[in-house]
Each structure stands twice: as C-alpha cells, then as structure tokens.
C-alpha cells in the first residue's frame, strides 16, 4: 500500500506554467472551462495563443463572459480549430444568439453533472480557477461551483489556476490539491459584471411582483434588470431566505438590510445557499469565508426535490416570449445575463412542489423598441417551460396567474397584460385559433392600463383583504359574487330582481378602461383564485363629467367598513382622472347607501326624483369641518 504524498509537497510538484500545463491537451479532445465569473482568464488566454496547434478541440462550458476569443476562433476557423459546446450563451441580442445558436446544448442545469460523471460526455481536461489551499490542502472553487465541481471530478486532467483573489466559499465548493494535475499560480482580478441600468418598465414589473412575495419566503433569482429591480422592491419584507442558482449584489444588499435572514427557510435554515456568484468585487469580499453562506453544485441547487423542501419557495426568472396558451420561450436577452433553459424549468417545478410556493416569470410586454409583442398567438421559438408548468406571468401592465386556468381564461389573462397596441390583434388571433368564444367582446379593456397605485391589502378583523382594480380575468369571480348575493341586496344594487349574471349583462364590471369606467373589488385568497367579497364601480357620465357609483358587499362581510374603503378609492381615482365629483342613485329605503355617501369628505347634496334619491358631491367643495360623524355602515347592497 503506497503512501499518499503530503499535499504541500504535491502542490510544489504540480506547479507549472500555463503553457507547459496545456501541453497535455491534444487535438480532438474535449476541454471544460470554468463558468462565468470563475473563468480562469489566464488559462483561457494561453489556450487562445496556442490555438493554431489544435484541430477539433471541443470547448465545453456553461457560460462565458468571453474574456478570451474562443468563440471568435471557432467562427473564424469554421469550428476546425475550436468547436464550442455551450449550455448557455448568456446576455446577447437575438441576432447574436442566432449567429451562435449551433453551439447551444439545451439541457436543465440539474442534469449536467450526471452528463459528466456518467461518462456520457467524457471530459479530457478541465481548466478551472480556485483559491489558494488552506492548512489541509483544500482549495475553494469560490464564485463558481455550479457544474465546475462535477467537471473536476470527471476530467482526465485538471489544470487549476490558483488565484489569491478567489474567495474561499464554504459548502461543497472544495477541491483538494491531490486531486488536480497541474497548478498554475497567477493573480488577476476576477471577472465582474457592470451594474444593470435602471429601466422604468423593470421597476413597474417589480412593484407588481413584490406583492406576491410573502414574509418568510425562500427566493430564487436569475440575473438581469428585472430581477435587480425586484430585489429593490423587497426592502420592506422580513425573514427572506435564499436558495438560488446565483448570488448577486442585490441579494447582498438585502442581507445587509436584515431582509435576508434565512431563518424561516424550512430547509438549510440560517444558510444562504447558491451555486455561484456574479457581480462586483464587493460581493466577492462578502462571500469570502462567510459562515452564513454555502455554495453547492448544480445537481443539488437545481434539484427540484431539494428546491421543493423550502418554505414558500418563490422562483423569479425572465422569459423572452409566451404564447396565448401559456407556452414560454426563454432565450438570452440584453440585460438578462442568464436566462435560457439552464435552471429555469428546475426551479419552476421545484417551486410548484413547495408548500405555498410560487413560480413567477417576468418580461417586458414588447421587444424591438416596442415594435413586437412578447405575448404572441403561437410560439416560433423553442419552448422552455411547458404550458402546464407556468404559474405567474408579469409584465409592466400587470400580473396574472395561469395555474389551473382554461385556454380561454389564459388567452384573456395574457391579452390583458399585453401592450395595449397589440391587444386588438391578439384578441382577433385568439378567436381565429378558437381559444376564445367568437361572441366574446373585449371592449374598453383593449386600451386600459392597470393602475397599480390603487391596489392595497388591509387586514380587517384578522382577515387580509386586497382592494384592487378589477381585471378582465375577474369575470367568473364577479359572477360568483353576484350569484351568492341575497334577493334584497340584488334589488338594492340593480333596482330590480335578477337571477342571471351572464357576461354580456355585467361585462362593464370587468371590461373596463380604468379611466371612464372603473371597478374596484375587495378580494380574499390567493391571486388567481381570489374570492370577490365586494364590488365598487363608477361610470363616467361625460355630459356632466360626474362619476356614477354603485356598491355590493357579500352579506357575511357587511358592517366591516369595506364599502367605505371602496368608495374612498373610487373617489381618489375619479379625482385623478379629472372627474368633477360623484353621484349615486338609490332608494329612500337604502339607509346604508345614504349613510355611506355622506361619509365622503365633501359637501353632499341630495334630491328626490320619483321613488329615487340622487346624491352628489363635487371634489371642489369640501365638507364643513364641524360636520358631525355619521352612523357606522349599515346593511347595504
């Protein structure tokens, strides 16, 4: 039995120049290069310099920020010197993606380590970068563990660039000196990425999404401007956990603010768990020897079964396009460095397995400077997320939940968050594809822009109630609300008995433009499956520029002040939209409506017209400050 060489002696024996270390690589072999910001730039540079001596050398990598000209050499030699096998191309324009698409290998990130370890894709060499060894000979892969660890464990030859700037990151991120073949000492700055530009569309999307993320949730985030904006919007959250493919500067900032505590993850509590770090030098200093951070390989980070063990696992990713049935394409986009297939489907399915989990896909409504809609009738790009796995979709025009929805409900929902300039065309195409009933109309809603500023969640009697503008997707919920009202409330609301609430009779409740026609609903339950417990509406009479208002509150929720909140929001919106005041038509017997209207902070006038009372107020005429408070809200329709 032979003794293992003491690691320090082994380290000295393995020291080499990059040029000499690369001599072990021969033409026709397959070489893995460390990923993203962990790319061994010095080794890549030397490999590029000696490219002339290679033919058919296959370069395998997850993603490269292209510190060296490997792809350029591959293109110029028509792959006769270098051939690239990339599991993702990174942030690029569609034109550049098209040019290099032959290099892409579509695969879920969780499956790549098996590809290497099983020998299905044998690696002849791995070029990696690591920290200097500790007292026991262990070197950390630092900012890039992901698939790099599996490549090290599988390659015939491992050439390690030891860089003192590489942080020592804890977790399953280590490789021992005895397990590498060549050590090339070379100090250089790690690759970093520039801060993302601030885009208003991303900020709007982030405000929509932040309302879906609860305190105590575990977050996964990809890279890109949408994700950066979302992280900013989470500054008021509490006890957020992180289990993510990537650790970024924005996550670091949330950690420093005390938002990220990892206390309520339900799995790996107290630990921020990721596969790699992509960001600034400050981020790399933050993760260095930080006992609250662990990096693990992608077959752990991206394993849906592991992801699903976390509390309220919420995945945040960027999509490129979605069709009206919910199929998603997610190739690379400018300012979204790592989309594509890699970990997207892993986290989408893992989040679905988590208790109270959510999968959220973000995208701007248009591309090509507003000339093309990202919501399309049918996808021509490769499907990354099947329609059955898609849950929340967010654009700057709103967010919808497609889970459990029919194709008609999906089409209407997606059209409602498309850019207004494309809604008519999408609606017409949906009818041609028989996704929407031919008799269905989509009137004012084709131009309406969802006013998120009127959205608010208020806890009343221990019940979280969300007050928000109605959406076209609310049709069924509005119908259910009216069908459950009792006879007296129906008569108070509609002035006659009604037993039917088919869509063409109540479409003005949810087919709205948010300016001349606005409905505010009060809801309880998860978004996409809410129960509407109250409805407040205004309709603008353009002749007198007054907004006629009406309300209905489910019997079991009356007397809780809900109608008063609805009325205040309708008044605010009417005033914002240049309407002079409010007007209400009611019967003398509807004391509740009369008392409610008199709670408005304006001078109220009333007049009788046959068997009706007409109440009105002008926003320019505030109520007398000494006005006595009215009785509390009574039963009303």
């Amino acid at each position: 039995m032979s003794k293992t060489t003491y690691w320090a002696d082994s380290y000295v024996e393995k020291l080499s120049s990059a040029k000499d270390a690369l001599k072990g690589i021969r033409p026709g072999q397959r070489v893995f290069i460390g990923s993203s910001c962990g790319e061994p730039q010095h080794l890549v540079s030397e490999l590029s310099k000696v490219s002339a001596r290679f033919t058919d050398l296959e370069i395998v990598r997850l993603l490269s920020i292209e510190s060296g000209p490997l792809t350029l050499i591959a293109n110029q030699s028509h792959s006769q010197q270098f051939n690239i096998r990339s599991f993702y191309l990174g942030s690029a324009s569609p034109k550049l993606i098209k040019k290099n698409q032959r290099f892409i290998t579509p695969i879920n990130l969780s499956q790549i380590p098996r590809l290497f370890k099983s020998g299905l894709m044998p690696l002849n060499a791995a070029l990696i970068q690591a920290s200097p060894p500790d007292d026991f000979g262990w070197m950390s892969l630092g900012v890039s563990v992901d698939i790099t660890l599996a490549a090290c464990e599988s390659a015939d030859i491992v050439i390690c660039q030891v860089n003192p700037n590489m942080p020592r990151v804890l977790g399953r991120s280590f490789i021992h000196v005895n397990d590498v073949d060549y050590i090339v000492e070379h100090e250089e700055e790690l690759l970093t990425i520039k801060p993302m530009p601030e885009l208003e569309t991303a900020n709007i999307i982030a405000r929509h999404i932040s309302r879906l993320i609860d305190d105590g949730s575990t977050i996964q985030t990809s890279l890109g401007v949408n994700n950066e904006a979302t992280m900013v919007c989470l500054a008021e959250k509490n006890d957020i956990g992180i289990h993510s493919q990537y650790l970024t500067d924005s996550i670091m900032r949330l950690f420093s603010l005390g938002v990220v505590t990892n206390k309520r993850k339900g799995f790996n509590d107290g630990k921020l768990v990721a596969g790699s770090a992509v960001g600034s030098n400050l981020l790399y200093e933050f993760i260095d020897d930080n006992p609250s951070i662990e990096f693990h390989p992608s077959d752990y980070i991206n394993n849906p079964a592991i992801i699903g063990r976390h509390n309220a696992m919420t995945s945040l990713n960027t999509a490129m396009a979605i069709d009206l049935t919910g199929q998603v394409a997610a190739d690379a986009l400018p300012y979204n460095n790592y989309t594509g297939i890699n970990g997207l489907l892993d986290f989408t399915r893992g989040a679905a397995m988590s208790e109270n989990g959510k999968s959220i896909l973000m995208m701007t409504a248009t591309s090509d400077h507003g000339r093309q809609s990202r919501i399309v009738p049918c996808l021509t790009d490769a499907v990354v997320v099947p329609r059955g796995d898609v849950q929340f979709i967010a654009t700057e025009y709103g967010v919808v939940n497609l889970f459990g929805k029919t194709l008609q409900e999906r089409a209407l929902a997606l059209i409602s968050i498309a850019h207004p300039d494309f809604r008519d065309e999408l609606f017409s195409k949906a009818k041609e594809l028989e996704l929407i009933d031919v008799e269905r109309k989509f009137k004012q809603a084709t131009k309406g822009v969802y006013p998120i500023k009127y959205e608010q969640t208020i806890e009343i009697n221990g019940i979280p109630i969300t007050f928000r503008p109605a959406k076209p997707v609310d049709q069924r919920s509005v119908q259910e609300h009216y069908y459950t009202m009792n006879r007296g409330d129906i008569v108070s609301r509609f002035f006659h008995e009604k037993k039917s609430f088919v869509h063409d009779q109540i479409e003005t409740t949810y087919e709205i433009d948010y300016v001349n026609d606005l409905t505010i609903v009060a809801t309880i339950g998860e978004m996409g499956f809410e129960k509407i417990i109250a409805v407040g509406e205004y309709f603008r009479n353009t002749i007198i520029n007054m907004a006629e208002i009406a309300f209905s509150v489910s019997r079991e929720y009356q007397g809780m002040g809900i109608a008063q909140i609805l009325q205040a929001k309708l008044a605010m919106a009417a005033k914002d939209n240049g309407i002079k005041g409010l007007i209400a038509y009611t019967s003398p017997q509807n004391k509740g409506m009369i008392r409610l209207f008199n709670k408005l902070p304006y001078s109220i006038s009333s007049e009788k017209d046959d068997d009706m009372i007409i109440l009105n107020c002008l926003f320019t005429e505030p109520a007398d400050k000494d006005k006595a408070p009215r009785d509390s809200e009574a039963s009303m329709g």
Side-chain angles (χ1 to χ4, degrees):
M1 189 168 108
S2 61
K3 286 187 177 180
T4 302
T5 306
Y6 176 49
W7 75 263
D9 295 332
S10 177
Y11 183 92
V12 174
E13 291 173 4
K14 293 174 179 180
L15 283 172
S16 172
S17 68
K19 184 176 181 180
D20 288 340
L22 294 173
K23 288 179 180 178
I25 300 175
R26 299 189 302 276
Q29 291 191 327
R30 183 177 290 120
V31 178
F32 172 85
I33 294 179
S35 305
S36 56
C37 292
E39 181 176 302
Q41 303 164 69
H42 178 60
L43 296 181
V44 170
S45 175
E46 289 300 314
L47 183 65
S48 301
K49 290 177 183 177
V50 297
S51 61
R53 70 178 180 87
F54 294 111
T55 54
D56 298 314
L57 191 73
E58 182 169 282
I59 305 297
V60 178
R61 62 192 182 193
L62 173 61
L63 177 138
S64 174
I65 300 179
E66 289 288 356
S67 68
L70 300 184
T71 302
L72 177 63
I73 294 170
N75 280 321
Q76 288 181 343
S77 69
H78 302 286
S79 301
Q80 292 184 43
Q81 287 177 290
F82 290 160
N83 181 45
I84 307 295
R85 182 184 296 275
S86 179
F87 298 113
Y88 188 60
L89 284 181
S91 180
S93 66
K95 184 177 180 181
L96 184 58
I97 294 170
K98 190 75 173 176
K99 178 181 178 182
N100 294 322
Q101 68 177 349
R102 67 188 186 280
F103 298 140
I104 300 175
T105 300
I107 190 170
N108 293 316
L109 196 57
S110 60
Q111 299 170 313
I112 299 175
R114 174 177 171 269
L115 192 66
F116 296 159
K117 292 179 180 180
S118 65
L120 293 172
M121 184 179 288
L123 299 175
N124 300 108
L127 276 53
I128 65 166
Q129 184 174 202
S131 68
D134 62 16
D135 292 342
F136 305 98
W138 291 99
M139 302 179 291
S140 174
L141 293 173
V143 301
S144 182
V145 177
D146 45 56
I147 66 172
T148 304
L149 183 60
C152 293
E153 294 170 347
S154 308
D156 299 330
I157 298 173
V158 178
I159 303 174
C160 179
Q161 177 182 331
V162 172
N163 184 355
N165 290 321
M166 179 66 82
R168 181 177 182 270
V169 184
L170 307 180
R172 286 179 57 200
S173 67
F174 294 95
I175 182 170
H176 199 271
V177 168
N178 290 337
D179 295 324
V180 304
D181 298 282
Y182 296 94
I183 292 174
V184 179
E185 292 184 333
H186 186 84
E187 180 175 355
E188 60 186 349
E189 289 295 317
L190 298 181
L191 290 168
T192 58
I193 61 170
K194 296 178 181 178
M196 298 290 172
E198 184 172 337
L199 301 178
E200 183 55 28
T201 53
N203 293 335
I204 296 170
I205 292 170
R207 288 196 289 272
H208 285 300
I209 289 172
S210 65
R211 297 172 181 270
L212 298 175
I213 301 173
D214 301 319
D215 289 348
S217 297
T218 303
I219 301 295
Q220 171 262 332
T221 179
S222 61
L223 300 178
V225 65
N226 289 330
N227 296 81
E228 293 290 304
T230 301
M231 294 299 103
V232 172
C233 283
L234 299 184
E236 301 301 319
K237 303 294 181 180
N238 298 293
D239 289 328
I240 296 298
I242 301 294
H243 179 93
S244 185
Q245 206 167 306
Y246 305 106
L247 176 56
T248 64
D249 283 74
S250 57
I251 293 176
M252 175 183 67
R253 286 190 288 271
L254 289 179
F255 187 97
S256 67
L257 291 171
V259 174
V260 172
T261 66
N262 299 297
K263 290 180 178 178
R264 294 164 58 183
K265 292 175 69 177
F267 185 62
N268 289 326
D269 285 344
K271 298 290 185 181
L272 189 160
V273 178
S276 62
V278 178
S280 66
N281 284 318
L282 185 62
L283 174 66
Y284 304 153
E285 292 176 18
F286 167 69
I287 66 177
D288 185 37
D289 216 17
N290 189 329
S292 68
I293 296 173
E294 290 186 357
F295 277 17
H296 291 264
S298 60
D299 50 355
Y300 179 88
I301 295 293
N302 291 74
N303 184 335
I306 296 293
I307 295 166
R309 295 179 69 175
H310 293 83
N311 175 55
M313 186 72 216
T314 304
S315 67
L316 302 167
N317 291 288
T318 302
M320 185 180 75
I322 184 170
D323 71 17
L324 291 176
T325 70
Q327 297 184 114
V328 172
D331 288 320
L333 298 167
Y335 307 126
N336 289 290
N337 302 68
Y338 293 62
T339 49
I341 290 180
N342 63 72
L344 177 53
L345 191 56
D346 292 328
F347 274 97
T348 297
R349 289 179 170 167
M353 296 165 65
S354 164
E355 186 174 354
N356 299 317
K358 297 184 180 79
S359 168
I360 303 170
L361 292 173
M362 303 169 280
M363 61 182 179
T364 54
T366 60
S367 62
D368 193 20
H369 304 288
R371 289 189 284 266
Q372 293 185 350
S373 174
R374 293 199 190 279
I375 298 172
V376 297
C378 299
L379 274 183
T380 56
D381 302 285
V383 174
V384 172
V385 184
R387 61 174 70 94
D389 289 299
V390 174
Q391 192 177 9
F392 291 98
I393 301 291
T395 73
E396 64 269 39
Y397 295 100
V399 56
V400 293
N401 186 352
L402 301 188
F403 180 67
K405 299 297 185 286
T406 66
L407 293 184
Q408 175 166 278
E409 289 169 332
R410 285 166 175 248
L412 289 170
L414 290 167
I415 293 169
S416 75
I417 61 169
H419 191 287
D421 290 350
F422 295 95
R423 291 180 191 171
D424 274 330
E425 179 185 354
L426 288 169
F427 191 75
S428 176
K429 289 288 187 182
K431 284 188 173 182
E432 288 179 21
L433 294 169
E434 299 184 342
L435 295 175
I436 295 176
D437 186 272
V438 292
E439 295 299 318
R440 187 65 189 263
K441 300 176 179 64
F442 200 65
K443 298 176 181 175
Q444 299 101 317
T446 57
K447 298 298 179 185
V449 177
Y450 184 79
I452 191 174
K453 65 180 178 178
Y454 304 129
E455 192 173 299
Q456 183 181 18
T457 298
I458 302 173
E459 189 168 300
I460 303 175
N461 295 349
I463 304 170
I465 300 176
T466 297
F467 296 84
R468 62 166 176 80
K471 307 173 184 178
V473 292
D474 288 325
Q475 175 193 334
R476 181 65 188 175
S477 298
V478 170
Q479 288 174 320
E480 289 174 350
H481 166 69
Y482 287 141
Y483 276 116
T484 56
M485 290 170 60
N486 62 32
R487 176 181 173 276
D489 289 341
I490 290 173
V491 172
S492 295
R493 166 61 184 85
F494 294 100
F495 304 113
H496 65 278
E497 287 195 42
K498 280 178 67 71
K499 295 183 179 179
S500 174
F501 301 95
V502 296
H503 71 83
D504 59 350
Q505 294 178 358
I506 60 167
E507 61 186 9
T508 54
T509 304
Y510 48 84
E511 300 289 1
I512 50 184
D513 65 5
Y514 300 119
V515 177
N516 298 308
D517 190 359
L518 175 67
T519 300
I520 302 287
V521 294
T523 71
I524 57 174
E526 180 181 337
M527 181 184 174
F529 296 90
E530 306 108 313
K531 176 182 179 182
I532 290 179
I533 60 173
V535 176
E537 308 164 61
Y538 84 54
F539 183 79
R540 184 180 204 158
N541 183 327
T542 55
I543 297 173
I544 58 175
N545 195 25
M546 296 285 282
E548 180 183 338
I549 61 172
F551 302 92
S552 61
V553 180
S554 296
R555 174 66 62 175
E556 62 268 37
Y557 294 96
Q558 291 177 5
M560 295 170 61
I562 291 174
Q564 187 173 351
I565 296 172
L566 291 174
Q567 180 174 254
K569 288 188 174 295
L570 289 173
M572 181 192 305
K575 193 173 182 181
D576 289 347
N577 290 322
I579 296 173
K580 288 168 48 180
L582 303 181
I583 187 168
Y585 298 86
T586 189
S587 68
Q589 291 76 34
N590 194 345
K591 304 297 183 183
M593 182 63 191
I594 296 170
R595 279 195 292 269
L596 175 65
F597 201 91
N598 274 280
K599 289 180 181 179
L600 286 162
Y602 306 104
S603 178
I604 308 299
S605 64
S606 64
E607 60 180 286
K608 194 169 183 180
D609 183 12
D610 295 331
D611 58 348
M612 300 288 292
I613 289 180
I614 305 173
L615 305 166
N616 65 74
C617 67
L618 297 175
F619 297 139
T620 56
E621 298 179 2
D624 187 340
K625 291 183 179 179
D626 298 326
K627 179 180 177 181
R630 299 283 174 172
D631 296 334
S632 60
E633 177 189 2
S635 173
M636 55 160 290

